[in-house]
Structure formats: C-alpha cells, structure tokens
Amino acid sequence: MTETVVPPQVEPAPKRLFIKTYGCQMNVYDSERMADVLRPLGYAPTETVEDADFVILNTCHIREKAAEKVYSELGKLRMLKEEKAQNGRGAMTIAVAGCVAQAEGEEIMKRQPAVDLVVGPQAYHQLPELLTRTARARGERIGADFAPDDKFDALPKTRGVDGVTAFLTVQEGCDKFCTFCVVPYTRGAEWSRPVAAVVAEARELAARGVREVTLLGQNVNAYDGVGADGAPSSLARLAFELAAIPGLDRIRYTTSHPNDFTDDLIAAHRDLPQLMPYLHLPVQSGSDRILRLMNRKHGRQKYFDLIDRIREARPDLALSGDFIVGFPGETDRDFDDTMDLVRRVGYASAFSFMYSPRPGTPAATMAAQVPDEVSRARLHALQALLTEQQVAFNASQAGRVLPVLFERKGRHGRQAIGRSPYLQSVHVEDADHLIGRVVPVRILKGQQNSLTGELIAEGHVSTPGAEPVRARGAA
C-alpha cells in the first residue's frame, strides 16, 4: 500500500505596512482605518520603514511647508526602494494619502517617480483596489470626489485598536472658509455620520476595552448626523447616546468652532459626567479687525460671552485654543489684543503658530504680509504667556484628587501613565496593574507638561471643581 505524503502547508510571510502620519487627530484616525482596510490583504504593521513592503505617507496641508516635508521624505523613500530592489529584498510600494495628496496629487506623481499611487482623504477605503491596479500599472490617483458616506460604509466594522483610548470620526469637512485655511478644499463640505453608525463603532470599541473616545471633526460641534427618528441630531444628543454604552467612561471632542456652540452642548457639559471638562475652542486672534480678515464670523466679545456661559454650566472647565500670529495686516495693536484676550481668558494649554500662506487661499494674496522676524517675535511672546498659564494650571492641581484613566506602562519599574479629566499626562508609581481602569490619584506635583501623583484608597475621588482657570469675562 502506497502512503501519500502531504507536504506541510507553509503560511505566507505577512506583508509589512508602515504608515507615517502627519498633522491632526483625524489623520491618526484615518491611518488606523487604512491599516484596517489593508489587514485582510495580509498586511501587518511594522515600526521600521526599512522592513516595509508598503509605505503610506498620510499627509497634512495645514502646517508650514507641508508639501516640502513630504517631498523630502519621498526622496529618502526613493533611495530605500531602489536599494531594496538592487539587494533582492523585495519590492516596496509607496503611497501618498491625505490632504497634500488631494491638493497636489498630479504634481506628486510628476515630481517623484517612486510614488506608486496617490489617494485623497475621502478615498482611502479604495486602497485594496488601487493596490491591485498598481501591480499592473503605476500612476493611480484617486481624489476626494467620492461622498464620505461611501468611504465609511466600505470600512471594516472591526477596528484594530490597541489601547484604552480611541479616536472616532463623526464629522468631516468645513463650510466656514476661513481665509487662511485649506480644509474646505481638501476635505470638502461639512458632512456628519449617522448616529447609528457612530454608536455602532463606539460599541465595538468599548467591547474591545476602549474606555475613552475622542469624537473628531473639522467642526465637530457642527455635527448634525441623522438620528433614529430621521431628524438631524446634535453633538450633545450624540454624546448622551454614547454615554449609555457600558464600559465607555469618558467622552471628549475636537475641534470646535465658536459659531457652532449650541445651548444643548453647554447643558451637556453641565449634566453629562462622561463629558470631560476640557474644551478645545480655537479663536485664532484677539483682534476683531483680524478676525474679520480671517472670515471667522465671530468677534472677541462673542468668544468671551460663550466661555462665560460654558463655565457657568461647568465651573471647572479647562480651556485649550489655537492662535495664529503674523496674519496679513496684523499690527502691534492687533497683537496686543490677542495677548489681552489670552490674559483675560486663561488657558490650560494652547497651540500657536506663525501665519504661513497656503496656495489657493484668499489670505495668501492679501496685502501687508507681516515680515517673518516680526511674526517670530510675536510668537515667542505669545508662547511665553501661554506656557506661563499652562505651568500655573498644572501646578494648581497639586493636592487635588483626580480620577485618572491609566493607559500604558511608564519607563520605570511598575510606573503607569494615565490621563486626568483635563487631558494632562499623569505619572504614578506602582500602578501598572491598573491599566484600563479609572482610579483616584492624589496629585503631588505639576510640571509644565505632566503631573506626578500617588494612589490612594479607591472610592475617594474629588469631583473636579476647583475652578482651575477661569474666564474673567469682557469687563
């Protein structure tokens, strides 16, 4: 009798995916979802670009010289791609995704032959199809000419999250057309995901151990996704829906626009414990004249009044913001108005930048462009004030007991690192067994960028309410 020998099945080696993410939290979310889309094709993530079979640069067009940075990175990748091919280490596919891809896709393909495909932010769900076509012929470019709902409908329902916090995109695009901003041209018009779709994704995240979600949108508080009753929902109503999900203990959202802040969202900050008392609310400038030139459609008084109303509802609320200095036509008086606004409001943290022109935006061709040396001096002064406020805010937490969500192990021994309700990083010794839990921590010391704390008996958590940084109104 002849015995048939069946050779053992050899599992194919996984293909390696490396994604470099530039810019905002929404790009972080998009990068995670690109990895989800490619996982069924056998792509596993790698931390080392030299090991990658597929490299994606997920780009942002907001910051200064964004395109130049991408081209510099592509030059390095071209040399790596050629070296791998010459040494017989396999082929490397290179893709450019995100907002630079949308704005400069054709130019990218012309300038850098090493790029195999370009995909805009509304079309990354088509990466598997693009990869198949690129294997036959280089040069695909897919832009944002697809409806966002097509993208979200096509994404895998299960996300490859690894951790206790996660980003969750609920709104995309912008209709504000600030004169300095490219987002309306690269992300398209405002669009909101249906409530049911957001809740379903949040439930799946909670089932995988996520305890905190950050809702993302270019103008997230303009959210108006369709609810179960067929009517548009608000961000506040969505927050209440998400708060009912078991295991989901914390909700944050970013980025907000002052013109879209509704009464029910203010009330949600008062009534919904899961909604963290930390708000990112960009103002960009403290000068009414510059705000008009920016087409922000609000003035400093409206901003003051709004903050007062929110803090009346939630007295412990900590505020973050965005500021641009050196906008075309900005005078010393305009800059003084910005410094005055910062002093009167008080910020727990903030992001500040020198204005830099974005091709295709109205501000790029405005008269009276501010010299770099003037903008740089103003930025230095503004950042010094913002740093002073951030240090004072962190120092004010010493002696308080705050609920901390532990996220990961620290660098030393059994140290663990978590987040306070105000998004501060909190370092605690002998706490690595508490990752994934919200635990009371006594704050011992506040540094510029973090807090140091110690564990106390569970069950003793102070309600955050020591009025950390208060708006002082317009008076």
Side-chain angles (χ1 to χ4, degrees), residues 78-128:
R78 177 184 61 80
M79 291 188 287
L80 178 59
K81 183 175 183 176
E82 292 173 353
E83 178 189 335
K84 291 187 69 172
Q86 291 168 0
N87 295 337
R89 294 195 292 129
M92 173 187 281
T93 301
I94 299 175
V96 180
C99 291
V100 173
Q102 177 63 26
E104 305 190 25
E106 298 293 345
E107 183 67 15
I108 291 170
M109 300 301 290
K110 291 176 183 176
R111 285 182 56 177
Q112 186 46 267
V115 175
D116 296 288
L117 58 96
V118 175
V119 56
Q122 304 298 9
Y124 61 75
H125 62 293
Q126 296 194 335
L127 277 170

Side-chain angles (χ1 to χ4, degrees), residues 296-371:
R296 289 290 291 174
K297 300 183 177 69
H298 66 80
R300 56 188 276 130
Q301 186 62 52
K302 179 175 180 177
Y303 189 78
F304 284 136
D305 293 344
L306 176 59
I307 292 170
D308 283 342
R309 291 174 58 213
I310 299 169
R311 281 188 162 142
E312 183 179 358
R314 186 75 193 248
D316 64 312
L317 182 129
L319 196 69
S320 173
D322 286 352
F323 295 90
I324 295 173
V325 300
F327 188 82
E330 183 186 67
T331 65
D332 289 343
R333 173 65 182 273
D334 294 319
F335 178 67
D336 288 344
D337 285 345
T338 294
M339 295 290 279
D340 175 70
L341 180 143
V342 172
R343 293 188 184 97
R344 293 168 67 175
V345 171
Y347 290 87
S349 64
F351 302 94
S352 53
F353 312 94
M354 281 175 53
Y355 170 76
S356 59
R358 297 293 178 270
T361 60
T365 57
M366 284 183 178
Q369 298 284 325
V370 178

Side-chain angles (χ1 to χ4, degrees), residues 226-233 237:
V226 176
D229 57 359
S233 175
R237 289 177 59 191

Side-chain angles (χ1 to χ4, degrees), residues 142-190:
I142 299 294
D145 300 326
F146 299 87
D149 51 341
D150 291 342
K151 175 180 71 176
F152 284 103
D153 287 345
L155 292 176
K157 302 306 178 188
T158 300
R159 288 180 54 184
V161 295
D162 182 21
V164 299
T165 65
F167 293 126
L168 176 52
T169 292
V170 302
Q171 182 269 343
E172 288 199 3
C174 182
D175 295 340
K176 300 299 185 291
F177 288 93
C178 296
T179 56
F180 56 81
C181 187
V182 298
V183 167
Y185 312 103
T186 58
R187 288 275 183 173
E190 289 181 358

